[in-house]
Amino acid sequence: MKLNIAKLPGDGIGPEVVEQAVKAVDAVCRRFGHEASYTFAEVGACAIDKYGSAFPESTYKVCLESDAVLFGAVGDPRYDNDPTAKVRPEQGLLAMRKQLGLYANLRPVETFSSLVDKSPLKRELVDGAEFLCVRELTGGMYFGEKGRLDGGDTAYDTNIYHRYEVERILKLAYSYAMRRRRHLTVVDKANVLESSRLWRQVAQELAPQYPEVTTDYMYVDNAAMQLIRCPKFFDVIVTENTFGDILTDEASCITGSMGLLASASIGEKTGVFEPIHGSYPQAAGKNIANPLATILSAAMMFEYAFGLMEEGAAIRAAVAESIEQKVVTEDLADGGKAYSTSEVGDWVAKHI
Ligand code: IPM
Ligand code: MN
């Protein structure tokens, strides 16, 4: 198969980790007889520097004309402490999600047995935990009307959801629950928020169409607690944009390192595959960042963008093996040898 991949490394450690994912993709292509071609484009701070926009039209075109986007991270400390900045790198990511219609962000959380002791939680709580967070990605507070009043002294963000947005993400979450352990947890704040009451109403309407699936409803504050208290309870979690952002950072540490969590953003146009960690500017250029989340995102790309399941599995197996053999970066090294970003990438590619 011909794979036209848009390569958007972005900022910070983005370029280093995406390079390792590219090695994995190339290794898969050699093994399975596919042909990958990459088109580079800028997003985030590097795009602002060059084009004055965090997601320039030219980058959008590259995405549209590709089958999948391999994305690194955006963010730059130059913008973090300047609340008055007019353009910010994060706008690039948000614009990309919106313009490509990527309403679903899939963030699988899995634990590796050999890493459970890296988790801040007790081994018996974590070992065997495996769930999928389905985060709505183009609605809610992130995209609702926002602004300032009173000469700047009052600020607001609007958490707005339309029925069709809620319906399509819930249906998708149900479809994954059907293929998994048939347990869906709808996370909301329906005791306080009107938008959450719409979510719950739509979920209650849909639930009878999926009698095989056990649906439960959980307030987000309780969900934040249960993720830590009892992560094995969960199979599929579905929630709105902001809650999903927060809960998936929390969920990522269950596994022992944020550097392991991959994600797929899918929807109307080209899908984007990216690690959930950010640009980690302190580590940029040092060849120390963990590339596994990005490499696992490439596995998701094979599975979700191309329907090539064996190819995705080959990447997963090599990643699991690298963890097993302790060929890992410093965040997972645990006093043992810390391999560099590129050494881990080379090792994984070789084992594919
Ligand atoms: C994420 C990130 C982004 C988000 C930021 C960088 C805009 O935290 O992908 O989770 O909040 O969605
Ligand atoms: Mn986040």
Side-chain angles (χ1 to χ4, degrees):
M1 191 188 266
K2 271 197 158 34
L3 318 173
N4 285 316
I5 299 168
K7 189 170 84 170
L8 275 58
D11 307 319
I13 57 167
E16 295 157 60
V17 291
V18 166
E19 229 25 69
Q20 311 317 313
V22 165
K23 289 178 190 168
V25 172
D26 287 341
V28 165
C29 289
R30 280 195 296 275
R31 173 167 160 195
F32 291 88
H34 302 300
E35 198 185 313
S37 62
Y38 304 92
T39 313
F40 169 86
E42 284 96 351
V43 61
C46 60
I48 297 177
D49 292 341
K50 193 161 165 194
Y51 301 96
S53 156
F55 188 58
E57 189 62 31
S58 52
T59 298
Y60 177 57
K61 264 195 79 191
V62 167
C63 295
L64 271 190
E65 287 162 3
S66 304
D67 304 317
V69 178
L70 204 48
F71 173 78
V74 292
D76 190 303
R78 282 182 288 161
Y79 300 90
D80 287 344
N81 294 315
D82 178 11
T84 62
K86 289 268 176 306
V87 283
R88 332 184 129 265
E90 288 79 4
Q91 287 165 347
L93 181 54
L94 300 179
M96 177 167 71
R97 290 170 178 171
K98 195 67 173 181
Q99 290 178 38
L100 295 173
L102 304 174
Y103 59 82
N105 183 217
L106 312 174
R107 298 186 161 182
V109 177
E110 49 173 344
T111 47
F112 296 87
S113 259
S114 54
L115 283 184
V116 284
D117 294 319
K118 290 290 295 172
S119 172
L121 304 184
K122 293 195 192 86
R123 169 176 270 274
E124 61 269 27
L125 288 182
V126 175
D127 205 7
E130 197 269 317
F131 54 92
L132 173 68
C133 295
V134 180
R135 168 188 174 193
E136 201 290 327
L137 203 57
T138 50
M141 252 198 299
Y142 274 62
F143 295 96
E145 194 188 317
K146 56 184 79 224
R148 295 276 182 119
L149 304 167
D150 301 333
D153 289 340
T154 302
Y156 62 96
D157 300 277
T158 315
N159 197 19
I160 184 165
Y161 268 105
H162 304 285
R163 171 179 280 273
Y164 79 93
E165 294 174 305
V166 181
E167 229 169 59
R168 67 183 175 185
I169 192 81
L170 284 170
K171 284 185 177 162
L172 192 75
Y174 269 115
S175 78
Y176 289 117
M178 289 289 286
R179 280 177 257 164
R180 295 172 46 97
R181 299 191 299 277
R182 304 188 171 175
H183 176 197
L184 180 68
T185 304
V186 181
V187 171
D188 62 30
K189 187 73 186 171
N191 50 346
V192 177
L193 302 178
E194 200 54 45
S195 53
S196 281
R197 287 194 274 274
L198 174 64
W199 272 72
R200 199 170 278 218
Q201 182 189 336
V202 175
Q204 285 169 345
E205 286 167 21
L206 284 176
Q209 295 176 28
Y210 304 88
E212 306 90 336
V213 178
T214 306
T215 305
D216 43 43
Y217 303 90
M218 203 180 267
Y219 296 140
V220 63
D221 46 352
N222 185 26
M225 176 173 74
Q226 300 304 338
L227 272 174
I228 295 301
R229 213 178 70 85
C230 188
K232 282 187 256 189
F233 171 80
F234 297 101
D235 176 22
V236 179
I237 295 174
V238 63
T239 192
E240 59 123 281
N241 204 345
T242 307
F243 297 161
D245 178 46
I246 299 166
L247 291 181
T248 51
D249 260 40
E250 186 190 358
S252 76
C253 81
I254 297 173
T255 63
S257 173
M258 211 187 186
L260 287 175
L261 229 68
S263 89
S265 301
I266 57 172
E268 293 159 12
K269 297 173 188 154
T270 320
V272 172
F273 301 85
E274 56 172 304
I276 91 145
H277 62 67
S279 58
Y280 192 14
Q282 306 87 323
K286 293 191 179 153
N287 203 18
I288 56 170
N290 187 345
L292 293 183
T294 316
I295 295 175
L296 288 169
S297 301
M300 293 187 84
M301 177 183 79
F302 277 104
E303 293 158 351
Y304 289 87
F306 300 110
L308 298 171
M309 309 314 272
E310 250 187 89
E311 284 79 343
I315 296 182
R316 288 177 196 289
V319 166
E321 188 62 21
S322 82
I323 293 171
E324 202 59 45
Q325 304 280 330
K326 303 208 175 346
V327 182
V328 289
T329 42
E330 63 177 12
D331 53 313
L332 298 177
D334 220 6
K337 174 174 178 191
Y339 287 78
S340 69
T341 308
S342 53
E343 282 171 334
V344 172
D346 288 337
W347 197 96
V348 169
K350 180 161 163 266
H351 280 73
I352 291 169

